[in-house]
Amino acid sequence: MEPEKSKPKIVVLASCCVDFITYAPRLPLPGETLQGDKFTTGFGGKGANQCVAAAKLGGDCHIICRIGDDDWGIKYKENLISFGIDITHAKITKGVSTGIAQISVAANGENHIVIVPGANKYLSTCDVEEAKVLVENADILISQLETPLETTYEAFKLCRGIKLLNAAPANINIVEILKYCTLLCVNEVEASMLVEFEVTISNIKHALQKLLLSGCKVAVITLGEKGAAYSSEEGESIFVPCKKVTPKDTTGAGDAFVGALAKFMVSHRDYPLHQIIGAACDVATKSVTKEGTQISFPEKYDAFNEVYKYTIL
Ligand code: RIB
């Protein structure tokens, strides 16, 4: 009998936040008090969301993160364990609270988010050093920008696998990191800040090519309900549309996309990137039809049952 092949390792250098979510008919204007319909809490944070999205799709996921020494921190660890995520490098930070996110969701699914990083600010280069063997041997390492930049920089330098940076929330001080980045993934707003012009579907090829000059091998720009586009070093630029759905809650859709993209890049290595991006769009689209972040991500779902449409730009 052949020995069972081990699954590719997905390592996420992650932010963890507790989401305090209010649902209201629309988003409030500055200075306005609005009556909402519902309040709920959930587990969020872009990094942890991405890790959970990949784990729910069957990925072998490992998280490197910092949570506070409050009740939320304990509950957060239990939440990660419930998805089968390895929490060896999930550390409690003494005297600090777990990160929180204040989220408002409108009836049309749009959201506003304010985060207070709390323990996420303490994710350090020492944490990366302690997880060195894991980071070096990751098949894919994912990071975002809700934790200190120097920590991501250190981890990307060490990792011998694919390095996926989701440059969210927007930050223009990432030039040094991009040199070590295999795949950069941003939304239209983040892309616009990086390329210094307003990115739209009509100029997206130009924006992608400008992002590639930063040193990454593949650049992906997500366009919300419209889909996503990418350019690679090899010269191809492709747009992949999303299926149309009626959104309930778009919170975390970008994270569902990133987590799925990472999972499929290592589990379906022989597939063309447009098919992998189509499948990741499909996962994100499914997530917006349900309320919440991590709880809205699809589980045990074979996104490769179909062939996704695409257009060469
Ligand atoms: O991308 C959505 C996430 O952003 C939320 O879960 C919130 O915690 C913030 O980090």
Side-chain angles (χ1 to χ4, degrees):
M1 205 167 84
E2 270 195 35
E4 206 184 310
K5 263 196 179 163
S6 66
K7 280 193 198 172
K9 265 193 187 19
I10 301 169
V11 179
V12 190
L13 195 62
S15 54
C16 297
C17 291
V18 179
D19 291 348
F20 292 85
I21 316 166
T22 51
Y23 293 88
R26 59 177 173 81
L27 297 175
L29 298 168
E32 187 186 22
T33 301
L34 205 61
Q35 185 161 323
D37 312 310
K38 198 164 93 177
F39 169 75
T40 182
T41 59
F43 295 100
K46 296 188 192 306
N49 290 349
Q50 292 164 10
C51 194
V52 168
K56 281 179 110 173
L57 293 167
D60 174 21
C61 296
H62 305 253
I63 196 164
I64 306 172
C65 64
R66 287 250 165 201
I67 42 196
D69 69 344
D70 46 13
D71 286 350
W72 285 117
I74 296 162
K75 288 192 183 125
Y76 212 116
K77 270 196 172 184
E78 287 164 3
N79 174 60
L80 294 169
I81 292 169
S82 75
F83 293 112
I85 294 168
D86 167 39
I87 59 151
T88 310
H89 298 284
K91 296 254 188 68
I92 301 272
T93 312
K94 288 237 168 337
V96 181
S97 54
T98 300
I100 65 120
Q102 196 72 62
I103 305 178
S104 308
V105 181
N108 67 0
E110 280 178 347
N111 65 61
H112 266 169
I113 307 179
V114 176
I115 63 159
V116 178
N120 293 306
K121 272 201 297 201
Y122 296 84
L123 189 67
S124 70
T125 53
C126 296
D127 296 324
V128 170
E129 190 56 35
E130 273 179 41
K132 192 173 176 193
V133 176
L134 180 67
V135 171
E136 278 177 345
N137 296 301
D139 290 277
I140 189 160
L141 172 68
I142 314 175
S143 190
Q144 338 64 39
L145 303 177
E146 286 180 334
T147 52
L149 280 181
E150 65 270 20
T151 310
T152 296
Y153 180 65
E154 211 47 46
F156 273 29
K157 276 200 297 182
L158 280 179
C159 179
R160 292 191 287 251
I162 300 167
K163 275 107 29 186
L164 191 170
L165 179 68
N166 172 222
N171 187 330
I172 52 165
N173 302 315
I174 54 169
V175 182
E176 287 305 312
I177 300 177
L178 290 179
K179 289 182 195 152
Y180 294 94
C181 185
T182 319
L183 188 149
L184 169 70
C185 179
V186 281
N187 66 20
E188 288 151 291
V189 177
E190 292 142 9
S192 301
M193 284 181 68
L194 289 170
V195 298
E196 297 174 318
F197 59 82
E198 194 186 337
V199 176
T200 61
I201 193 112
S202 54
N203 62 20
I204 203 154
K205 184 175 176 182
H206 177 46
L208 286 162
Q209 286 171 346
K210 194 162 176 193
L211 289 177
L212 278 183
L213 295 177
S214 65
C216 59
K217 300 193 175 0
V218 182
V220 179
I221 301 178
T222 56
L223 300 157
E225 59 182 16
K226 295 194 265 317
Y230 73 90
S231 285
S232 74
E233 255 188 350
E234 282 86 46
E236 58 181 1
S237 294
I238 288 181
F239 168 67
V240 185
C242 267
K243 290 177 195 155
K244 294 270 167 287
V245 290
T246 305
K248 263 199 176 155
D249 184 351
T250 57
T251 318
D255 303 330
F257 177 86
V258 171
L261 177 64
K263 155 71 177 65
F264 297 147
M265 279 179 82
V266 291
S267 63
H268 293 74
R269 280 187 184 261
D270 300 339
Y271 282 58
L273 193 52
H274 57 80
Q275 178 70 6
I276 287 178
I277 290 194
C281 280
D282 208 13
V283 168
T285 303
K286 285 218 163 355
S287 80
V288 305
T289 61
K290 291 191 180 155
E291 287 182 351
T293 45
Q294 296 176 8
I295 54 165
S296 72
F297 300 163
E299 207 160 354
K300 293 192 185 82
Y301 158 66
D302 188 1
F304 287 88
N305 279 331
E306 53 184 296
V307 174
Y308 296 97
K309 290 185 191 143
Y310 65 94
T311 317
I312 297 172
L313 295 169

